[in-house]
Amino acid sequence: MEITYYGHACFGFKTSSSTVVVDPFISGNELAKNIDVNGIKAEYILLTHAHYDHILDVEIIAKNNDATILANAEIASYYEKLGYKVISMNIGGVKRFDFGRIKMVSAVHSSSFPDGTYGGLACGFLMKMDGKVIYLSGDTALTIDMKTLPYVYGYINVAILPIGNTYTMGIHDAIVAAKFTGTRNVIASHYDTFPPIKVNKEKAQQMFLAEEKHLTFLSIGGTLDVNTFV
Ligand code: NI
Ligand code: MN
């Protein structure tokens, strides 16, 4: 199973049976200008919330791939009305796929569309894909709920966490989040795209290492085999 970073908080997961893209924001991201949105393959598009920096390229990717959008009930009905295929769920729910399971889990964040439409509750995803457990928190503050996650599918092989501060957790809280989830491996998300979320990457990695956690920065367009995480 492979993870590809498309910049900001957008990740692709290539499983044995499907390709999943989460929170597509590419065409509006100067740092991702080398990524061709039209080249992105996706059978499913997962959305953590309705903010601009998570949904900008949903429609183009959905159209290009006839993809199904999986999101909370409010976001799903928004896209269903526009004619897209959706899977509607809410926090606590689990959907089964050929590659495994996707559970919608809580996040502490807001969620509205750029036009002001209510976007339901922000969420994260706990995913079991090809036997590996991945936690993608979405935009969130540190929350005690994270302690419950390793009780769902067992050890979390890797957590994808925001580290940019200002709108989400910063580095200190992301280290605590790693401890709460029990994982050793964190992939950084939601940093550097805008001035208020710039980070010092080297310092961040040192801070994680000091707490015996490993922080990975994927290059934009870079791919990683999840089997490297034990
Ligand atoms: Ni947000
Ligand atoms: Mn965001």
Side-chain angles (χ1 to χ4, degrees):
M1 215 265 292
E2 286 180 344
I3 301 181
T4 300
Y5 187 42
Y6 294 116
H8 195 52
C10 181
F11 290 85
F13 300 88
K14 192 176 175 201
T15 72
S16 53
S17 57
S18 298
T19 301
V20 175
V21 170
V22 184
D23 286 358
F25 173 74
I26 296 149
S27 60
N29 182 0
E30 180 62 21
L31 300 180
K33 60 178 185 293
N34 292 329
I35 305 286
D36 175 14
V37 178
N38 287 306
I40 292 179
K41 297 263 173 288
E43 203 172 331
Y44 299 99
I45 302 169
L46 274 49
L47 302 176
T48 62
H49 63 297
H51 286 159
Y52 171 79
D53 60 319
H54 298 257
I55 62 150
L56 182 66
D57 296 313
V58 168
E59 295 193 55
I60 185 164
I61 295 172
K63 269 184 203 139
N64 284 344
N65 295 276
D66 192 27
T68 300
I69 299 162
L70 182 152
N72 70 29
E74 290 80 4
I75 295 173
S77 84
Y78 178 96
Y79 285 111
E80 191 170 37
K81 281 183 197 138
L82 294 173
Y84 296 99
K85 293 191 290 187
V86 301
I87 296 175
S88 172
M89 55 193 301
N90 218 323
I91 293 164
V94 179
K95 291 286 172 189
R96 286 165 188 260
F97 301 87
D98 288 343
F99 56 79
R101 297 169 192 201
I102 295 175
K103 182 180 177 72
M104 188 174 275
V105 298
S106 61
V108 175
H109 194 70
S110 56
S111 174
S112 54
F113 286 90
D115 66 3
T117 303
Y118 175 58
L121 291 178
C123 73
F125 296 106
L126 184 64
M127 306 183 284
K128 190 162 191 186
M129 291 173 155
D130 295 343
K132 293 285 180 183
V133 183
I134 298 150
Y135 169 47
L136 184 146
S137 74
D139 286 10
T140 185
L142 178 65
T143 162
I144 198 83
D145 292 11
M146 292 167 179
K147 283 196 173 187
T148 65
L149 300 177
Y151 293 90
V152 181
Y153 301 131
Y155 177 71
I156 293 167
N157 297 95
V158 60
I160 300 173
L161 304 176
I163 62 159
N165 198 0
T166 305
Y167 301 109
T168 66
M169 295 189 284
I171 296 159
H172 285 100
D173 285 355
I175 291 168
V176 179
K179 292 179 184 176
F180 280 2
T181 63
T183 191
R184 285 183 286 273
N185 304 300
V186 174
I187 295 176
S189 177
H190 217 276
Y191 63 92
D192 280 5
T193 318
F194 316 110
I197 62 171
K198 285 231 184 328
V199 301
N200 179 329
K201 294 195 187 73
E202 211 171 294
K203 191 169 170 226
Q205 285 180 314
Q206 284 166 4
M207 288 165 68
F208 271 76
L209 267 185
E211 300 291 333
E212 295 176 345
K213 302 293 180 189
H214 189 262
L215 178 66
T216 298
F217 287 96
L218 278 169
S219 60
I220 295 175
T223 290
L224 195 98
D225 187 336
V226 178
N227 291 314
T228 57
F229 294 120
V230 287

